[in-house]
């Protein structure tokens, strides 16, 4: 029998001999003989089970083991930087604490809780994308807990910030749950990233930009983490009845309002062009005018040519989804402000492309020209195309050098992929990632000696020598 002591983090298991179960920072339970102090068994509290994810088969699901009287796995991810708790919304106006936990004693849940396991998987997968690609830990970059609610009795989904956690709520229509749609889950998660960074006000142009960033990363995350970089550029078409929008052809999907205020199909793909909305419905057209930046991202990533609604011809060679996403992320998290308009989003992404890839680089020029394609700004006026292959070791600053505890790097462009620090024998000593031009790293654990720091700028590798001297 297990007994939880009130006010204590310990539970007692009365056996022969008496055993104490000691939680170790919510990572392991140590079963200790209370008489001899010997460790009888160690059980992790966070164990992956397998369960079905709609459309993606049987997958590993991050769960938490609940011992004591419960003895079941629970959809509560708290390891590997995760802080995600998923429950089913069962009763109108139900509070979080009153919602039942999703639990099972089986190590393979199959499709028993398909909606909950699918939603939990997609939230965890989105968390992993922002962590693995941008080094971001959760929506607020500090691992703030996310409460995920499934099967809300409403055909909608939304993000909501509270005092101690963030909510992701997914409704349903005709028994189809929005949480089973990966791009919608990533869309709502990204609203949390926006809330904790640019804080874009949710109305009119500012709100449309907010919506667009969520659409962009909804598409990117589904394509790059689940679908082998393939996409049809449509948000929300993975399950029936979900609202759909097209980044490739905004005019063909989504919504707008006609002169009588009636909802019609189609979003604008050009600023002040066809379907552009200036009224007050939909918070000033946040789900309508978002089509302009959505189209910008598609043109930037994929490339396109033709005439926009202003009769301006454009031709843009795409730079790929990965680079386009880096530009969008940097602009959202480092440049944009709560009241930013479309002109500000243009400037922010153009600045981000310049910082990440260099002035008049292919990426910088394409970012400018993609905005021209959607009716904002003019074509680029670069008289040359810069190349990061010209970066030399002397262009990378490392100081102090020699150093003893911390070394600071000042880069001419954002490094691609991991930065590797090797010792003089060629052994990997440390690996780090940074999307900053100016950053520090801890070397207090390094032994005295010479080290080589390897940076990749596109296909160009630059090696910087540093000396550790204590």
């Amino acid at each position: 029998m297990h007994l939880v002591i009130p006010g204590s983090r310990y539970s007692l298991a009365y056996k022969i001999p008496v055993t104490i179960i000691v939680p170790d920072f919510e990572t392991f339970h140590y079963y200790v003989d209370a008489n001899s102090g010997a460790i009888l068994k160690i059980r992790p509290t966070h164990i992956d089970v397998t369960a079905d994810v709609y459309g993606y088969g049987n997958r590993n699901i991050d769960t938490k083991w609940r011992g004591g009287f419960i003895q079941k796995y629970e959809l509560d991810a708290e390891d590997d930087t995760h802080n995600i708790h998923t429950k089913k919304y069962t009763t109108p106006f139900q509070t979080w604490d009153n919602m039942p936990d999703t639990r099972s004693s089986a190590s393979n849940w199959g499709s028993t809780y398909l909606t909950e396991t699918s939603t939990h998987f997609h939230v965890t997968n989105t968390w992993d994308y922002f962590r693995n690609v941008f080094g971001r830990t959760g929506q607020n970059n500090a691992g703030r807990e996310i409460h995920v609610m499934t099967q809300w009795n409403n055909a909608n989904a939304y993000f909501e910030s509270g005092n101690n956690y963030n909510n992701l709520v997914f409704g349903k229509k005709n028994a189809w749950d929005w949480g089973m749609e990966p791009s919608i889950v990533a869309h709502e998660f990204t609203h949390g990233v926006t809330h904790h960074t640019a804080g874009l006000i949710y109305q009119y142009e500012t709100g449309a930009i907010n919506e667009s960033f969520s659409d962009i990363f909804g598409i990117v995350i589904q394509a790059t983490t689940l679908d082998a970089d393939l996409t049809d550029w449509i948000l929300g078409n993975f399950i029936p009845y979900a609202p759909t929008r097209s980044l490739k052809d905004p005019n063909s999907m989504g919504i707008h309002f006609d002169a009588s205020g009636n909802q019609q199909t189609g979003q604008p793909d050009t600023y002040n062009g066809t379907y552009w909305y200036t009224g007050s419905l939909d918070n000033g057209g946040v789900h309508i005018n978002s089509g302009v930046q959505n189209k910008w991202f598609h043109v930037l990533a994929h490339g396109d040519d033709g005439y926009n609604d202003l009769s301006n011809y454009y031709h843009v060679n795409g730079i790929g989804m990965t680079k386009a996403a880096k530009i969008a992320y940097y602009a959202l998290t480092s440049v944009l402000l709560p009241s930013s308009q479309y002109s500000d989003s243009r400037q922010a992404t153009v600045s981000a492309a310049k910082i990440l890839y260099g002035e008049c680089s292919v990426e910088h020029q394409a970012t400018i020209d993609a905005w021209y394609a959607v009716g904002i700004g003019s074509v680029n006026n670069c008289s040359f195309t810069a190349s990061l292959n010209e970066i030399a070791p002397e262009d990378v600053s490392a100081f102090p050098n020699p150093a003893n505890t911390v070394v600071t790097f000042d880069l001419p462009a954002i490094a691609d992929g991991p930065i590797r620090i090797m010792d003089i024998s060629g052994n990997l000593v440390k690996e780090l990632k940074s999307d900053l031009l100016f950053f520090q790293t801890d070397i207090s654990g390094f032994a005295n000696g010479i080290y080589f720091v390897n940076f990749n700028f596109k296909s160009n590798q630059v090696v910087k020598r540093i000396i550790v001297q204590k």
Side-chain angles (χ1 to χ4, degrees):
M1 179 179 73
H2 294 80
L3 173 65
V4 178
I5 303 175
S8 171
R9 297 180 65 248
Y10 304 99
S11 57
L12 298 183
Y14 290 102
K15 299 180 181 177
I16 301 176
V18 174
T19 305
I20 302 176
I21 305 175
V22 184
D24 174 18
F25 301 106
E26 304 301 330
T27 304
F28 296 97
H29 280 170
Y30 291 84
Y31 290 71
V32 181
D33 188 315
N35 296 320
S36 67
I39 296 176
L40 305 176
K41 181 173 65 173
I42 300 174
R43 183 180 187 126
T45 61
H46 298 287
I47 306 173
D48 283 354
V49 300
T50 57
D52 290 346
V53 174
Y54 177 73
Y56 291 97
N58 202 246
R59 296 293 184 113
N60 288 335
I61 306 294
D62 197 351
T63 66
K64 179 178 182 178
W65 172 257
R66 298 301 300 268
F69 294 107
I70 299 174
Q71 297 291 307
K72 291 182 179 181
Y73 303 98
E74 179 178 297
L75 291 185
D76 189 0
E78 294 178 350
D79 63 331
D80 200 17
T81 80
H82 300 142
N83 199 355
I84 304 162
H85 195 170
T86 301
K87 294 184 178 183
K88 177 182 176 180
Y89 189 94
T90 57
T91 306
F93 309 110
Q94 190 174 31
T95 64
W96 173 261
D97 290 338
N98 290 328
M99 293 181 193
D101 275 297
T102 306
R103 296 170 177 163
S104 175
S105 58
S107 59
N108 185 345
W109 293 20
S111 59
T112 304
Y113 303 103
L114 182 62
T115 297
E116 285 65 49
T117 54
S118 298
T119 307
H120 189 75
F121 174 84
H122 291 316
V123 174
T124 306
N125 183 61
T126 302
W127 181 296
D128 289 345
Y129 168 84
F130 281 107
R131 181 193 62 202
N132 295 339
V133 176
F134 301 114
R136 184 176 197 85
T137 306
Q139 293 169 311
N140 72 335
N141 202 24
R144 189 181 199 185
E145 184 177 4
I146 299 175
H147 287 177
V148 182
M149 287 170 265
T150 67
Q151 303 197 50
W152 179 43
N153 191 26
N154 192 302
N156 204 344
Y158 67 87
F159 159 81
E160 176 185 63
S161 179
N163 292 328
N164 301 309
Y165 51 82
N166 290 333
N167 286 332
L168 291 178
V169 182
F170 299 97
K172 59 185 178 180
K173 182 177 181 180
N174 295 346
W176 288 96
D177 299 278
W178 291 174
M180 297 193 298
E181 162 60 66
S183 64
I184 289 181
V185 172
H187 171 106
E188 298 303 335
F189 189 107
T190 305
H191 276 310
V193 175
T194 300
H195 172 81
H196 290 289
T197 55
L200 294 164
I201 298 169
Y202 201 67
Q203 59 183 11
Y204 296 97
E205 278 192 32
T206 307
I209 298 167
N210 187 324
E211 270 296 309
S212 175
F213 278 114
S214 281
D215 282 357
I216 287 168
F217 283 103
I219 291 292
V220 169
I221 292 168
Q222 180 177 356
T224 60
T225 66
L226 297 173
D227 295 342
D229 294 330
L230 300 174
T231 181
D232 56 9
W233 296 98
I234 297 173
L235 181 99
N237 70 340
F238 194 69
I239 62 172
Y241 306 111
T244 55
R245 292 189 284 272
S246 172
L247 278 65
K248 180 179 180 180
D249 184 13
N251 286 172
S252 67
M253 294 184 181
I255 65 165
H256 69 276
F257 295 107
D258 61 22
S260 300
N262 298 313
Q263 184 174 301
Q264 305 291 344
T265 299
Q267 291 181 275
D269 62 9
T270 305
Y271 190 77
N272 281 330
T274 302
Y275 302 148
W276 180 262
Y277 183 66
T278 58
S280 60
L281 296 173
D282 184 36
N283 276 15
V286 298
H287 294 95
I288 301 170
N289 295 335
S290 54
V292 173
Q293 186 170 271
N294 285 356
K295 178 67 174 182
W296 162 82
F297 185 82
H298 173 265
V299 172
L300 176 63
H302 182 267
D304 196 13
D305 60 62
Y307 289 90
N308 62 24
D309 292 346
L310 306 180
S311 299
N312 294 325
Y313 179 78
Y314 61 90
H315 176 87
V316 181
N317 292 319
I319 64 172
M321 184 178 283
T322 298
K323 290 181 179 178
K326 285 185 178 180
I327 291 170
Y329 178 83
Y330 192 97
L332 173 64
T333 59
S334 302
V335 185
L336 288 168
L337 299 173
S339 60
S340 293
Q341 306 293 298
Y342 259 119
S343 59
D344 301 308
S345 191
R346 176 190 180 277
Q347 185 57 48
T349 53
V350 169
S351 296
K354 180 178 176 181
I355 291 170
L356 289 168
Y357 300 106
E359 184 173 7
C360 285
S361 61
V362 168
E363 296 81 4
H364 184 218
Q365 294 182 50
T367 302
I368 297 170
D369 292 345
W371 279 113
Y372 176 73
V374 297
I376 302 176
S378 57
V379 295
N380 83 84
N381 59 2
C382 291
S383 59
F384 66 95
T385 299
S387 171
L388 290 183
N389 292 329
E390 300 169 2
I391 294 178
E394 55 267 26
D395 297 322
V396 176
S397 297
F399 55 90
N401 195 9
N404 52 24
T405 57
V406 174
V407 63
T408 300
F409 296 106
D410 189 357
L411 310 182
I414 301 298
D416 290 331
I419 299 166
R420 296 183 172 91
I421 303 179
M422 321 290 288
D423 64 18
I424 199 166
S425 300
N427 299 312
L428 178 65
V429 178
K430 185 173 184 178
E431 183 174 284
L432 60 142
K433 293 183 70 174
S434 177
D435 60 354
L436 302 175
L437 295 174
F438 189 87
F439 61 94
Q440 295 180 324
T441 191
D442 180 20
I443 57 168
S444 59
F446 288 21
N448 287 341
I450 297 173
Y451 296 84
F452 299 95
V453 188
N454 294 266
F455 300 91
N456 285 296
F457 301 100
K458 289 190 175 179
S459 60
N460 180 33
Q461 185 178 75
V462 172
V463 180
K464 187 72 177 181
R465 188 180 75 162
I466 62 173
I467 300 173
V468 176
Q469 184 177 312
K470 301 178 181 179

